């Protein structure tokens, strides 16, 4: 498989590193395109194919991923549309906020055929093979859909959703990365106040979060079921949980997700 990624910023770069790390295809079969050589240098050094020519990037690719800022998507598609092989290639937009109808209009602007097209919203953990990616079909059959799901399943988990849920998925999983990081930072600061050095406190928190995730993934249990196992009556855990709730912990998380 050959994958071309137009845009070598935070998300484009994370996708390339994640695909190569997962063994989805060799780094040399992944092409990154960006306007400036200076952006591409570190990727070329890592063995990826690079180019400043978007049309050249599209040629020979099985999957073309558009990973530029939303306001640049139209210009990129206008540029590469004549070079697309609509019967063979699949186009995936990872630009949040660009709708399926907008992509259809862009890709069929010349009145010709339209390639199989999908919206995918991963998060930056894709670089580590741990993304939560939401996928919405725009056009294309089951074979193309299966190919796109397989690509993103190689770098984490996927969920195929109606387009109306993409914004919610972005808040929960993409913005959620930042929210989780903020919890790690806060817990680390608390660990320092408890007497640990900052690096040790961070490592403790990271391992604890990793353990909590593993417990829930393995058991499939509701979080409260696992919480109940460690909340001894009158103990430290229940006192800490109640103190967090008095400070509005759950409400703050929900309000953050809602953008209030």
């Amino acid at each position: 498989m050959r994958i071309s990624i137009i845009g070598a910023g935070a998300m484009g770069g994370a996708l390339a590193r994640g695909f190569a790390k997962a063994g989805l295809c060799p780094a040399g079969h992944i092409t990154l395109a960006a306007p400036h050589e200076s952006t591409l240098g570190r990727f070329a050094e890592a063995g990826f194919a690079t180019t400043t020519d978007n049309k050249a990037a599209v040629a020979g690719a099985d999957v073309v991923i558009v990973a530029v800022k939303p306001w640049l998507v139209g210009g990129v598609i206008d540029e590469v549309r004549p070079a697309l092989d609509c019967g063979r290639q699949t186009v995936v937009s990872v630009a949040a906020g660009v709708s399926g109808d907008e992509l259809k209009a862009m890709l069929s602007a010349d009145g010709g055929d339209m390639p199989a097209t999908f919206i995918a919203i991963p998060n930056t953990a894709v670089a580590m093979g741990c993304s939560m990616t939401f996928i919405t079909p725009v056009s294309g059959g089951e074979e193309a859909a299966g190919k796109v799901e397989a690509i993103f399943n190689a770098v984490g988990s996927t969920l195929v959703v109606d387009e109306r849920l993409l914004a919610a998925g972005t808040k929960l999983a993409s913005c959620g990365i930042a929210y989780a990081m903020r919890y790690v930072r806060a817990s680390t600061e608390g660990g320092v106040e408890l007497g640990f050095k900052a690096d040790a406190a961070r490592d403790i928190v990271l391992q604890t979060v990793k353990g909590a995730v593993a417990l829930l993934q393995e058991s499939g249990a509701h979080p409260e079921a696992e919480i109940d196992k460690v909340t001894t009556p009158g103990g430290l855990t229940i006192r800490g949980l109640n103190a967090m709730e008095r400070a509005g912990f759950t409400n703050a998380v929900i309000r953050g997700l809602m953008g209030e």
Side-chain angles (χ1 to χ4, degrees), residues 16-180:
R17 291 190 293 272
F19 293 152
K21 183 181 178 71
L24 189 64
C25 55
H29 288 188
I30 300 171
T31 299
L32 288 114
H36 307 294
E37 291 284 359
S38 57
T39 304
L40 297 167
R42 68 185 188 276
F43 296 108
E45 291 173 3
F48 294 100
T50 61
T51 181
T52 57
D53 185 336
N54 289 338
K55 286 185 179 179
V58 168
D62 298 298
V63 178
V64 177
I65 298 178
V66 180
V68 298
K69 299 297 185 185
W71 56 88
L72 299 175
V73 171
V76 166
I77 290 180
D78 282 346
E79 181 182 359
V80 303
R81 187 174 60 247
L84 290 172
D85 183 342
C86 295
R88 186 182 65 81
Q89 293 177 312
T90 299
V91 173
V92 179
S93 169
V94 298
V98 179
S99 72
D101 285 343
E102 289 172 319
L103 289 171
K104 285 180 180 178
M106 293 173 190
L107 286 162
S108 60
D110 58 5
D113 293 335
M114 181 176 168
T117 304
F118 297 81
I119 299 170
I121 304 297
N123 60 36
T124 53
V126 72
M128 305 305 297
C130 295
S131 178
M132 178 66 239
T133 302
F134 299 91
I135 299 171
T136 294
V138 176
S139 69
E142 291 184 6
E143 182 178 351
K147 177 167 63 176
V148 172
E149 287 182 59
I151 288 171
F152 286 97
N153 276 329
V155 287
S157 298
T158 63
L159 185 64
V160 177
V161 299
D162 292 338
E163 189 171 348
R164 64 183 178 82
L165 287 174
L166 285 177
T170 300
K171 292 179 180 180
L172 197 58
S174 299
C175 301
I177 286 283
Y179 304 151

